[in-house]
Amino acid sequence: MLSKEELDFLEYWEKNSLQQKHSTRPFMIGLSAGFVLGISLIAVVFSGWYERANMVANSRLSSFVFLLAILGISFFMAFVYRKFRWETNEQRYRELLARKKTLEKKEV
């Protein structure tokens, strides 16, 4: 028998799966995670704890290219996170649906 939580999820995902596929909330969470990664990368480069990397970054690295790379990483993480969340929920939905059908067959 499926639990109340699992039945609620089945009902919710039937109604909202397409809406969640294009939702901005997971995208924004992934985008913020990408920006956190980028900010931590900036902090590591400018902290000077690895002096050789700091010298190479100052001599060869354009700040525009560096910021563009961080922006690219952030958007990539946002798209991947949104896709990952949707795929995880879709897989859970299909597993629960299959389990529900097998339980119904056993009862009949």
Side-chain angles (χ1 to χ4, degrees):
M1 194 69 190
L2 295 176
S3 69
K4 172 84 169 115
E5 179 184 328
E6 292 171 337
L7 289 173
D8 289 342
F9 177 76
L10 281 173
E11 183 180 322
Y12 169 77
W13 198 250
E14 279 180 27
K15 294 178 185 175
N16 297 318
S17 67
L18 291 178
Q19 180 186 5
Q20 289 294 320
K21 191 172 189 172
H22 304 291
S23 176
T24 59
R25 184 170 186 260
F27 181 78
M28 296 307 273
I29 292 171
L31 191 63
S32 62
F35 281 134
V36 166
L37 181 70
I39 289 171
S40 63
L41 186 62
I42 288 173
V44 166
V45 167
F46 291 119
S47 68
W49 70 273
Y50 187 43
E51 201 166 311
R52 183 170 179 209
N54 196 17
M55 288 187 298
V56 170
N58 287 335
S59 66
R60 295 185 194 167
L61 187 65
S62 168
S63 60
F64 176 73
V65 173
F66 190 61
L67 292 176
L68 191 64
I70 289 173
L71 192 62
I73 289 169
S74 299
F75 277 105
F76 175 76
M77 284 186 68
F79 282 117
V80 167
Y81 181 76
R82 179 172 63 185
K83 182 74 172 170
F84 173 76
R85 292 286 299 176
W86 190 86
E87 289 288 335
T88 303
N89 285 334
E90 183 69 18
Q91 180 178 354
R92 181 179 175 205
Y93 171 74
R94 289 178 188 229
E95 288 172 356
L96 289 174
L97 200 59
R99 197 166 90 191
K100 182 180 176 183
K101 287 180 182 179
T102 57
L103 288 173
E104 287 174 354
K105 282 183 181 179
K106 286 182 181 179
E107 289 177 0
V108 173

